[in-house]
Amino acid sequence: MSGATLRFQRLHAELRARICLLDYPPATRLSEAALAEEFGTSRTPLRRVLARLEDEGLLESRHGVGTLVTDVEIGEMAQVYALRLELAQLAGTLDPLPVTPHVLNEMQSFVRRGQALLATPEARAFAQLNMDYHGFGLSLTGNPALREISERLYYRTARIWLKSIPHMDLADECAIFLSEMRETRTALRAGDTQAAALIRRAHISMSVRRMS
Amino acid sequence: MSGATLRFQRLHAELRARICLLDYPPATRLSEAALAEEFGTSRTPLRRVLARLEDEGLLESRHGVGTLVTDVEIGEMAQVYALRLELAQLAGTLDPLPVTPHVLNEMQSFVRRGQALLATPEARAFAQLNMDYHGFGLSLTGNPALREISERLYYRTARIWLKSIPHMDLADECAIFLSEMRETRTALRAGDTQAAALIRRAHISMSVRRMS
DNA sequence: TAGGATTTGTGCGTATGTATT
DNA sequence: TAATACATACGCACAAATCCT
């Protein structure tokens, strides 16, 4: 892979994370010039990253105004989550990949991170773990198209949880998350990817109800 | 909507159609300079369109080589279609929109176009009608996220049909397509969007089997 | 209302990478 | 192997749009 492509992916992942971890809250105005300087490039390659984030619905560029971080409305969230429920389940039935020792090792490390989080609950660390865990979940399906659109939809509404957590019980959320990961570990140890997908669906469903 | 945005959408739709109607067959090398001249712009705004088409999997830009039209492998097609089947059905259950007189009028005009196509079968006209009909189908769901990813996946593999038609019976395909549209008209007249979605799913499924 | 400050959008020259001779 | 041709990637200067004074 070329250097330009790698830089693009690095900047894209970095800015996407900043948006979804609320380092850049909704309505934040980003400066092309400032970001270009921070990352040591000119505006041109940076603008390609911003254009993609705009295509993904995380940014909105307005001529003469600036590049603004979008907000996520409650109605949009409900519709995206309704779709994510179905896609999560499909990951278990469409093209499930065999559960390798490597997968089990990764799962185990996620459980450990979940335990550490439960010991010292912290919203941003939760959101980061959730983001990483979502990426892990994608690795369980062999359908690239499903992976692509699941990732797209996940990042589209990932900010909702961090925005909702002030009205929720953080310790409870950490305990529930750890519980989900333990259940999933059991399913994966049995080689049952479909069960893991159903667990995922169930927890996404319950999570959105707690946020509403 | 701004002039720049409108131009972007126009060029994007135009180039996407050229790729999916095989005006630009796979492995065609597009020239940024030539396209910019054709559309009366500089390379800069054109490059944004090409970048998006690359994100959508229809193009691949290689530094020092050129911008190449991608091919669609048979394995990828199967996985995308497996997903499209599920999404087509979800369009009927997730957020179905009420069937308005306007929708019925559009449906009727599609049936007429299907009749005209059956009278004088022609592959490219079929592909164009199919493309337009797909856009109409999207208008039956009120879930923007579902619309977005369904469109993305449709255009990802739309070329497969045109590539397969030499090994199939064009007249048969036209008759089957018209039959699907008539069945769908019946369902929509009854206000049954879910039935329309199931008909769509069934025909996508049968279509991919005939192509394989 | 007008004008200046600031932002993104555009155009173009150059750098860099690739393939061929 | 080296040189040449030609493509995309990049950086910068300027145009166009918006906002605030």
Side-chain angles (χ1 to χ4, degrees), chain A:
Chain A
M1 190 163 298
S2 86
T5 305
L6 285 173
R7 177 179 60 181
F8 172 85
Q9 294 182 341
R10 194 163 41 89
L11 295 191
H12 176 259
E14 173 65 25
L15 290 178
R16 187 177 63 179
R18 290 184 187 180
I19 293 168
C20 294
L21 293 175
L22 299 189
D23 296 334
Y24 298 145
T28 300
R29 215 179 72 222
L30 303 183
S31 163
E32 293 182 352
L35 288 174
E37 189 182 10
E38 174 188 349
F39 294 117
T41 74
S42 74
R43 282 176 56 211
T44 303
L46 180 84
R47 276 175 59 77
R48 178 167 175 177
V49 176
L50 297 183
R52 171 132 169 203
L53 290 168
E54 187 171 9
D55 288 339
E56 294 170 340
L58 302 183
L59 292 179
E60 181 187 359
S61 286
R62 291 193 217 172
H63 192 183
V65 178
T67 302
L68 308 172
V69 177
T70 58
D71 202 351
V72 187
E73 308 132 31
I74 188 71
E76 181 192 13
M77 179 206 70
Q79 290 180 314
V80 172
Y81 268 84
L83 193 46
R84 283 190 55 207
L85 284 187
E86 306 294 337
L87 295 179
Q89 182 171 349
L90 284 174
T93 57
L94 232 45
D95 296 277
L97 291 178
V99 180
T100 63
H102 175 69
V103 167
L104 290 177
N105 282 338
E106 278 197 299
M107 185 67 246
Q108 180 60 28
S109 80
F110 275 112
V111 170
R112 269 197 271 269
R113 286 177 67 184
Q115 291 170 330
L117 179 66
L118 183 59
T120 54
E122 205 265 318
R124 192 195 155 93
F126 183 113
Q128 180 70 60
L129 180 58
N130 191 276
M131 200 176 291
D132 296 342
Y133 186 63
H134 179 264
F136 166 72
L138 293 185
S139 71
L140 299 178
T141 176
N143 191 316
L146 179 57
R147 277 204 298 268
E148 182 189 312
I149 64 178
S150 295
E151 183 178 13
R152 197 176 175 87
L153 292 179
Y154 170 79
Y155 284 103
R156 183 68 191 262
T157 55
R159 293 169 282 171
I160 287 283
W161 186 89
L162 264 175
K163 284 181 68 176
S164 301
I165 191 60
H167 310 292
M168 300 161 68
D169 188 312
L170 178 57
D172 278 357
E173 292 296 316
C174 292
I176 292 169
F177 190 17
L178 176 57
S179 177
E180 174 188 354
M181 291 194 286
R182 283 183 166 140
E183 292 174 55
T184 303
R185 180 178 60 182
T186 300
L188 292 181
R189 280 176 175 162
D192 194 340
T193 307
Q194 184 170 0
L198 289 171
I199 292 167
R200 186 77 177 131
R201 177 188 170 128
H203 275 87
I204 294 174
S205 175
M206 291 188 288
S207 173
V208 68
R209 291 181 88 96
R210 292 197 302 276
M211 285 190 287
S212 299

Side-chain angles (χ1 to χ4, degrees), chain B residues 91 97 132-143 146-152 154-155 200:
Chain B
L97 291 178
D132 296 342
Y133 186 62
H134 179 264
F136 166 72
L138 292 184
S139 71
L140 299 179
T141 176
N143 191 315
L146 178 57
R147 277 203 298 269
E148 181 189 313
I149 64 178
S150 296
E151 183 178 12
R152 198 176 175 88
Y154 171 80
Y155 283 104
R200 185 78 176 131

Side-chain angles (χ1 to χ4, degrees), chain A residues 143-145 148, chain B residues 56-57 70-82 156-157 159-160:
Chain A
N143 191 316
E148 182 189 312
Chain B
E56 294 170 340
T70 59
D71 202 350
V72 188
E73 307 131 32
I74 189 73
E76 181 192 13
M77 179 206 69
Q79 290 180 315
V80 171
Y81 269 84
R156 182 67 190 261
T157 55
R159 293 169 282 172
I160 286 283

